[in-house]
Amino acid sequence: MSLIYEPEYRVLIQCLKDYRVQSNMTQQELASHLGFSQSYVCKYEQRQKRLDFLEVRNICMALGISLTEFVTDYEERLRLGGF
């Protein structure tokens, strides 16, 4: 099974999407901040594209959250069985 479908990866992507929605940012707006097209955000949110660490960091920065805050939330969701 590809890691892109692993439960932990689904939680990662859900965290990113939740932060985007909480920031009242559309996929297009986030993509513009990142210097990509809207399809970039759409593809990773639909788990069609795998993100690396630097991409996650850049997304967090564009959403105005620290990487530490993001990882803490991610780990808490995993601990609570958020998958």
Side-chain angles (χ1 to χ4, degrees):
M1 178 189 282
S2 173
L3 292 177
I4 202 164
Y5 300 110
E6 291 295 318
E8 293 86 355
Y9 191 74
R10 286 194 304 252
V11 172
L12 176 84
I13 297 304
Q14 190 61 53
C15 283
L16 289 173
K17 184 175 181 180
D18 290 348
Y19 276 108
R20 179 183 62 77
V21 171
Q22 289 169 11
S23 298
N24 293 316
M25 198 177 287
T26 65
Q27 287 183 349
Q28 180 62 50
E29 290 167 332
L30 177 56
S32 292
H33 282 288
L34 296 168
F36 293 108
S37 68
Q38 180 269 336
S39 67
Y40 172 84
V41 176
C42 182
K43 285 181 181 179
Y44 81 69
E45 284 190 356
Q46 293 179 355
R47 297 187 323 270
Q48 296 174 354
K49 178 200 181 333
R50 186 156 180 90
L51 296 174
D52 68 23
F53 178 79
L54 295 177
E55 289 172 309
V56 171
R57 180 180 176 269
N58 289 337
I59 293 166
C60 288
M61 289 172 53
L63 293 172
I65 60 169
S66 72
L67 189 57
T68 302
E69 177 184 0
F70 177 78
V71 170
T72 299
D73 184 27
Y74 171 73
E75 290 293 336
E76 181 67 11
R77 291 183 191 207
L78 288 180
R79 188 184 70 74
L80 294 174
F83 49 90

